Amino acid sequence: MRYELDKSAAKPLYEQLYTALRTEILSGTLTGGEKLPSKRQLAEQLNISKITVETAYAQLLAEGYITARERSGYYVETIIPSETVRQEPSTVTEKLSPVRRETPSAQLFPFTVWARLMRSVLLDEGQAVLGRVPPNGLPELRQAICRELLRSRGIRTVPQAIVVGAGAEYLYNLLTQFLGKDRHYALEDPGHRKLAKVFETNGVRFSPIGLDAEGIVPEELKKSGADVLHISPSHHFPTGIVSGIARRQQLMAWLRQDASRIIIEDDYDAEFRFSGLPIPTMQSMDDSGRVIYMNTFSRTIAPALRISYMVLPQQMIAPWEEKMGFYSCTVPSFEQLTLTRFLEEGYFDRHLSRMKKHYRTVRARILNFLAQEPYCHVCRAEHAEAGLHFILRFFTAEPDAQLEKHLHESGLELPLLADFYAGDASDSARGCVLLQYADMDPEQFEKAMRRFCGQSDG
């Protein structure tokens, strides 16, 4: 095997090798069942490090292009070569989300650094990585999270207040048990569909509360009779609305009016703000001790890294330990220790900076394209100042179902904003779709928009 790898290129060597191997598998040059060279052999052939080959193989393995056989090596999986797939124009192949590509979290993820940290954890910790993990997570990781929260979000807390879990859904399940299923929850409407499913599955009563230009409407919140409010004030999903200080103060006033009330603040993508300073958290405004803060590393590092966490108010720490302390932590110590070193040795900051630079470039290209003729007369981007998604409002009189069909036929798989409402969507949602650009190829998006507008792909 000989591949031309450019050591001076911006693209990492492992990614160049991964791309070359994947191309040969998809083209049928490497056939199903064919054995690949060992990591050492290929590293020597290409004059690159073994870890580079290992990282490329790991990515191919994760995506199903190859399989590993114990004490034998790596073999190509049997798949349909891309050149042999032939379909008529405008069929499913053309429509299957051509604006999507491999997630940037895979493209930008620092595999070499992560692999080195994993090895160092194994060498330094040995059998300790197999030991029991405290219910709320390892103290080392919780301490590292405390430092990161203070630095990036101005949140002062202690390790005992941090609860680590495998994904936000898991933590929400725990919260409903801790707070009690007799509680009445208020959710933003529109909102995250999965969250409503979690509460519904747990038999929890909840009320969808409408939004205005500043976020959740306080008057509707009061009328609902809810005593627990779930909110994403720094960047609402899916609308992208940011709640200003006046609205936040109104919600804090609602919280203080009744000692039984609680706010759950979801700060899921606060790291990705591209203009101005970061928006302060509700938790940092709280003087009542009743705001629970939630965040995740799934967006900032990689979706596959199912490590989320929440910050309990000081007065909830002891009740939590008493009521929920019997649960085992769902994140292995190996992953927690690796993430701890990733945070403490400065790699997280550098990785986040790289991610933000990439997303800023993608976002700017898409917005600049939409500002041109004729697209600026077809649609408008709204609430695109932060996060990895924004609303695209189409200037059309056709029903949403017809708009969705036309977008689909053009190759744009963009969900309707109306689909995120618990009940009937508001009139303001008509003609709006959610554009999530984190894993979007701008060039393919532009081609799809040209097709939507009846232009040539050229």
Side-chain angles (χ1 to χ4, degrees), residues 186-200:
L187 304 181
E188 296 157 312
D189 192 29
H192 205 299
R193 292 173 290 193
K194 188 177 289 186
L195 179 58
K197 283 289 185 183
V198 169
F199 288 141
E200 184 179 324

Side-chain angles (χ1 to χ4, degrees), residues 376-392:
C376 60
H377 302 298
V378 174
C379 61
R380 177 182 69 229
E382 297 182 352
H383 302 296
E385 299 81 14
L388 305 180
H389 71 271
F390 55 82
I391 294 298
L392 203 56

Side-chain angles (χ1 to χ4, degrees), residues 105-162:
S105 48
Q107 293 181 332
L108 302 176
F109 185 78
F111 284 103
T112 302
V113 170
W114 195 263
R116 180 168 58 78
L117 292 176
M118 290 171 69
R119 288 197 300 273
S120 71
V121 166
L122 285 174
L123 289 172
D124 296 343
E125 303 295 334
Q127 294 183 0
V129 300
L130 304 178
R132 181 179 178 275
V133 181
N136 290 357
L138 291 176
E140 300 96 316
L141 177 56
R142 289 183 281 149
Q143 181 65 61
I145 291 173
C146 285
R147 284 193 279 265
E148 177 60 26
L149 285 173
L150 179 60
R151 184 195 65 80
S152 63
R153 302 299 285 135
I155 295 176
R156 295 183 180 276
T157 187
V158 294
Q160 294 84 349
I162 306 289

Side-chain angles (χ1 to χ4, degrees), residues 8 20 39 58 155 190 195 211 269 282 291 312 331 365 400 423 437:
S8 63
K39 291 177 285 188
I155 295 176
L195 179 58
L211 309 178
D269 69 354
M282 298 282 286
V291 175
L312 298 171
V331 182
R365 175 168 173 175
D400 274 1
Y437 64 86

